Amino acid sequence: MTLGTNQVRAADLLVDGLRAHGVDRIFCVPGESYLALLDALHDARDVDLVACRHEGGAGFMALADAKITGRAGVCAVSRGPGATNASIAIHMAEQDAVPLIVLIGQVARADRGRGAFQEIDYAQAFGAIAKGVWEVHDAGQLAEVVAQAFQAACSDTAGPAVIVLPEDMLSDMVAAEAVAPLPLARAEAGPAEIDQVLALLANSERPLVIAGGRVSEPAGRAALQAAAEAHDLAVAASFKRQDIFDNAHPNFAGYLGFKIPPTQVEAMAEADLILAIGARLNDVSTQGYRLPRAPVPDQPLVHVHPDPARIGAVYETALGLAVDPVAFLEALAARPAQAVPARRDWLAALNERARALAVYTPVDPRDGVDFGAVVQALGEKAEPDAVIITDAGNFGSWVHRHWPWRPSNLLLGLIGGAMGFGVPGAVAAALRLPGRQVLSFIGDGGMLMTGGELATAVQEGAALKLFVSNNNSYATIRLHQERDYPGRVSGTRLANPDFAAWARAFGAEGIVVEREAEIEAAVEAALAAEGSVVVDVRSSLEAISAYTTMAKLRGGR
Ligand SMILES: Cc1ncc(C[n+]2csc(CCOP(=O)(O)OP(=O)(O)O)c2C)c(N)n1
């Protein structure tokens, strides 16, 4: 640490440290446990402090912000209940490999260990999910801790880092300065490694790329397309990463999310070489560790991921490269192609299946609007660079299946599958990308988990377009019930408010869609709205997902 001569309040030093790490926005719910930090932020005009309605919402906003910027997102919450409310975001940051800094107030140092009001040992509470938990008892170490926490959060695999701030420590005076960001290790594949990949490719008639989140940055999207075109590679997008590759491109092989039809997966499994690039290969993307098969894949596996701990952890790999996946793709794309004519047939067959699966076929359920029709209409009319947020639930199946995904879109969804991301994720996106349409798809369940953050949107002037699938059900769970416990509906029925009226009460626009004939006008009105708008789609439960219906489930299909 650099020691300065001037004394500075620890809370101000903390703000300097955040600034030094590029922080320009903090999402918070205030607490008396970190008043000095709030006070320090009062004068920090270059750091936007967004007051949220729930710490889960604040945490989700910080997480979404990190997904957008590629830098660590930051939230500040109070001790005890504030921190436990925020825990959903800490867990999701770990699941999604997103750098997240969580600042938590703490009881005064002298009271630590006495079971004081709202005291928690955060190292124990979050030790298993965070990349690190630092409780700062000596303000002289604060600047160093900030740098360490950011480095831990941002290094591979990225994740949450927790800084615990005893309230009296924040007011200590200390002779110190902010510490500059610590370097992040970054390895690149050398020519010899690219040669090894090319040697494997030379014998491959059916190479399949599984592309993951680590190629999501714009340069990664471009490099993915260039490498796929240069070497005739089929490209499948991993779970909730469809936006990284143009789904209309002839090399697009399909999407590896939930409920992908077995025939589609079987076709991809005919690959004679799998290149997993920037993907962690979790259970959803691998369709339950079947593509590639764990622990020994049916075909050689090349795994390219910056984190050496990921490679070989679950899968036997023919070649594991702990390198930057974007630079890898750029280097691969730059190499001359080997002519393997059979690859064209493989590409065409996979692409035809993927396209066929994406075609929307209208259905006419009697009990409400088919949510797929709303998604279809929006997909046709939204701007090509629209930001799409998905909460967790069945409504998302139409979005993943039918949206015309392009690399100009930005898809924000939680790989970890927590409900409640839809509204906060949209708030963060609208604040960060004010010129772009921000469309969020949410269920009636998820909407009332964190929907109170619509107040944050209105307060901050963020324009969100929220599309609620209001089917009076936690339908994802209902689908499981229909299949596993037919006729025994338990705990999944919901009675909802009029979401349009609810939206108006917040100062947003509200639109109701009760019939299919109303969809087009509603979609146009929502897209044209200047401020925030909630479209309450009275959706069908019969059309329970993009892949099945209640009737089919009851018929055992
Ligand atoms: C925070 C959280 N709680 C519970 C779940 C389990 N869960 C997954 S989907 C789902 C139902 C979602 O219902 P809704 O938002 O109405 O969307 P729908 O499935 O009806 O389209 C539930 C309860 C979860 N994923 N996250």
Side-chain angles (χ1 to χ4, degrees):
M1 174 184 323
T2 320
L3 281 181
T5 44
N6 293 335
Q7 296 265 316
V8 59
R9 180 174 58 163
D12 296 297
L13 179 63
L14 174 56
V15 173
D16 281 347
L18 296 172
R19 245 190 221 114
H21 287 81
V23 175
D24 59 2
R25 179 164 291 142
I26 299 176
F27 300 94
C28 82
V29 175
E32 69 276 33
S33 57
Y34 69 97
L35 282 176
L37 173 58
L38 290 168
D39 181 66
L41 288 166
H42 177 270
D43 297 327
R45 302 273 170 221
D46 52 341
V47 182
D48 182 21
L49 184 63
V50 179
C52 308
R53 300 308 174 108
H54 188 285
E55 291 82 355
F60 279 156
M61 286 183 212
L63 202 158
D65 200 38
K67 281 183 183 254
I68 298 164
T69 64
R71 305 192 304 267
V74 183
C75 66
V77 300
S78 197
R79 62 194 173 195
T84 46
N85 264 355
S87 62
I88 191 167
I90 301 176
H91 179 42
M92 285 304 111
E94 184 266 331
Q95 290 263 304
D96 280 48
V98 171
L100 177 71
I101 299 289
V102 184
L103 305 171
I104 306 180
Q106 176 62 299
V107 301
R109 285 166 289 188
D111 293 340
R112 258 308 253 132
R114 289 176 164 169
F117 181 64
Q118 299 180 343
E119 181 182 359
I120 291 183
D121 181 334
Y122 297 103
Q124 293 228 41
F126 298 130
I129 45 177
K131 292 190 73 179
V133 178
W134 288 262
E135 183 159 329
V136 185
H137 282 232
D138 175 357
Q141 291 179 338
L142 181 57
E144 191 181 328
V145 163
V146 169
Q148 285 172 357
F150 271 84
Q151 199 219 30
C154 298
S155 59
D156 291 305
T157 300
V162 176
I163 306 179
V164 183
L165 306 162
E167 61 175 88
D168 58 325
M169 182 280 295
L170 283 172
S171 299
D172 279 357
M173 299 301 287
V174 60
E177 285 173 4
V179 170
L182 297 168
L184 295 170
R186 181 173 175 274
E188 282 193 14
E193 276 126 0
I194 303 293
D195 284 345
Q196 284 178 282
V197 176
L198 288 173
L200 287 163
L201 271 173
N203 294 319
S204 170
E205 294 190 340
R206 297 183 303 282
L208 177 72
V209 171
I210 299 179
R214 290 304 304 254
V215 298
S216 177
E217 64 190 67
R221 294 171 188 227
L224 177 61
Q225 183 167 331
E229 287 172 355
H231 298 280
D232 288 335
L233 309 176
V235 178
S238 67
F239 185 41
K240 295 195 182 177
R241 304 291 190 190
Q242 287 147 296
D243 56 332
I244 59 182
F245 195 77
D246 186 352
N247 288 198
H249 193 284
N251 291 43
F252 182 61
Y255 167 56
L256 292 169
F258 277 119
K259 306 277 185 301
I260 304 307
T263 49
Q264 176 91 6
V265 180
E266 283 156 19
M268 288 194 236
E270 283 170 17
D272 60 8
L273 174 67
I274 294 183
L275 304 152
I277 305 180
R280 287 174 294 161
L281 297 175
N282 68 14
D283 58 327
V284 183
S285 291
T286 61
Q287 306 292 298
Y289 299 108
R290 287 182 300 133
L291 181 66
R293 193 179 302 285
V296 182
D298 297 337
Q299 55 286 92
L301 169 67
V302 176
H303 196 179
V304 182
H305 192 281
D307 188 349
R310 294 277 159 190
I311 293 170
V314 177
Y315 291 99
E316 187 180 286
T317 51
L319 180 62
L321 299 178
V323 298
D324 176 9
V326 177
F328 168 83
L329 283 168
E330 285 167 349
L332 186 63
R335 289 297 193 92
Q338 307 134 312
V340 185
R343 280 191 206 160
R344 292 287 163 100
D345 299 339
W346 154 252
L347 278 181
L350 279 185
N351 186 250
E352 196 181 314
R353 274 177 188 276
R355 278 172 192 260
L357 192 64
V359 171
Y360 171 69
T361 311
V363 291
D364 187 17
R366 303 242 166 94
D367 64 334
V369 174
D370 175 32
F371 198 68
V374 177
V375 172
Q376 179 67 16
L378 270 165
E380 283 166 12
K381 293 180 193 296
E383 299 285 350
D385 69 345
V387 183
I388 314 295
I389 293 100
T390 57
D391 208 285
N394 270 0
F395 59 86
S397 61
W398 288 279
V399 185
H400 292 296
R401 183 170 172 181
H402 300 301
W403 196 268
W405 295 105
R406 315 164 177 94
S408 55
N409 285 127
L410 179 63
L411 167 60
L412 300 175
L414 293 177
I415 312 293
M419 294 166 68
F421 182 69
V423 179
V427 174
L431 290 177
R432 189 58 75 180
L433 304 168
R436 289 168 70 171
Q437 284 178 342
V438 175
L439 319 180
S440 184
F441 295 96
I442 315 173
D444 45 356
M447 189 64 175
L448 286 192
M449 279 195 175
T450 50
E453 302 299 351
L454 182 56
T456 311
V458 173
Q459 162 193 302
E460 300 294 320
L464 328 177
K465 304 180 192 300
L466 310 177
F467 298 86
V468 187
S469 172
N470 178 358
N471 54 14
N472 296 108
S473 177
Y474 285 123
T476 309
I477 312 306
R478 176 71 185 274
L479 189 153
H480 288 283
Q481 280 178 341
E482 283 300 323
R483 210 184 39 211
D484 298 345
Y485 301 95
R488 294 170 64 81
V489 178
S490 179
T492 52
R493 283 199 186 93
L494 294 175
N496 289 319
D498 172 339
F499 283 110
W502 176 87
R504 281 180 220 116
F506 282 81
E509 259 183 71
I511 300 173
V512 177
V513 175
E514 284 178 305
R515 278 178 293 281
E516 199 160 331
E518 296 165 359
I519 293 176
E520 193 167 334
V523 160
E524 278 170 8
L527 292 178
E530 297 245 314
S532 287
V533 55
V534 174
V535 181
D536 178 353
V537 181
R538 306 284 161 84
S539 58
S540 163
L541 192 56
E542 172 55 34
I544 194 164
S545 103
Y547 295 104
T548 191
T549 62
M550 290 288 253
K552 282 186 190 165
L553 287 166
R554 288 182 181 138
R557 280 178 292 156

